[in-house]
Amino acid sequence: MDTITTGRHLASRQSRRNLLDPLVEDSMCRLNKQARNDPSARSIALIRVADISALQVKRHPGWSAEDRKKIAGYLNQLDLLEPAKRSPLQAPRFTGAYRYRCADRHCRGHQQTLWDWEFVALQRRLDQLTDAEAEEQLRNMFLTQLCAADRDVAFYVGNQAARPQSFSVGGVYAPRRPTARYRPRVNR
């Protein structure tokens, strides 16, 4: 961590778009196929979303015995660089999963778990609300606002070495679409 330096600060949304937009791909279907056929296929991507049918929000069941074992292993692991005592990872209140179609013209749909840090952080801020109220707020932010019609939505997706064919959504890239004022002209 001590060797990380800031190369440059991206102050404007447009400067971020200039870096990220060229990385957006159209086909989650193709990424899935590549992962099934080649163990060394890419494990992360930024995938354009054609349409979203749902954001399923469910109560988290709590950590499984296997999860608790992994967390305990992490807590008991010595770290010379980080001497502070670690605290156990708290289970989120809810899990989320997007149902969507990618921009591949043959797409029949995808359902992927949402592992977005901001999704969990928002839950923690909503701890005073009832489950129904919190679910509504989560859907409002992660479906209604971030995935609104005026946004160019793409998902940051990734898989794990243990399950390379199973991708999850790690975050939502949702810049606003250019307004008519900034939209490129098309000559006909």
Side-chain angles (χ1 to χ4, degrees):
M1 293 292 288
D2 295 336
T3 62
I4 297 174
T5 59
T6 302
R8 64 182 163 135
H9 178 72
L10 301 176
S12 73
R13 289 186 181 125
Q14 188 58 47
S15 60
R16 287 186 207 112
R17 283 200 80 162
N18 291 344
L19 288 175
L20 290 173
D21 282 0
L23 303 175
V24 177
E25 299 181 41
D26 287 336
S27 182
M28 184 69 228
C29 297
R30 184 172 46 251
L31 191 62
N32 279 331
K33 183 178 179 181
Q34 291 168 347
R36 281 191 303 272
N37 296 334
D38 180 4
S40 65
R42 288 184 320 131
S43 61
I44 59 172
L46 187 52
I47 301 294
R48 184 178 322 282
V49 174
D51 63 74
I52 299 169
S53 57
L55 171 62
Q56 299 170 330
V57 178
K58 296 181 188 171
R59 190 82 162 126
H60 191 284
W63 298 128
S64 68
E66 182 182 342
D67 292 334
R68 287 191 301 274
K69 185 177 176 182
K70 288 178 186 176
I71 292 168
Y74 167 76
L75 292 173
N76 295 324
Q77 187 177 25
L78 296 176
D79 190 339
L80 298 173
L81 300 176
E82 187 182 312
K85 184 174 168 116
R86 297 176 178 174
S87 57
L89 183 62
Q90 183 183 9
R93 186 173 170 189
F94 299 100
T95 62
Y98 278 112
R99 292 186 64 207
Y100 72 99
R101 283 184 329 100
C102 67
D104 187 303
R105 64 187 185 131
H106 300 293
C107 182
R108 298 163 115 211
H110 305 280
Q111 179 167 330
Q112 293 172 323
T113 303
L114 177 60
W115 291 110
D116 188 323
W117 178 89
E118 292 178 13
F119 184 73
V120 177
L122 179 55
Q123 293 176 43
R124 302 228 193 288
R125 289 195 308 270
L126 301 174
D127 65 346
Q128 301 299 315
L129 299 180
T130 66
D131 282 359
E133 292 168 333
E135 285 181 38
E136 182 181 342
Q137 291 293 320
L138 290 165
R139 278 193 193 89
N140 180 52
M141 173 58 77
F142 283 85
L143 187 62
T144 306
Q145 291 180 31
L146 283 177
C147 300
D150 68 339
R151 304 272 183 160
D152 283 330
V153 180
F155 290 151
Y156 296 99
V157 298
N159 63 10
Q160 298 174 355
R163 287 172 263 167
Q165 304 85 3
S166 179
F167 285 83
S168 299
V169 175
V172 180
Y173 174 59
R176 294 200 185 278
R177 292 179 197 255
T179 62
R181 182 172 149 199
Y182 297 106
R183 192 169 290 143
R185 292 181 189 254
V186 178
N187 295 323
R188 296 179 195 227

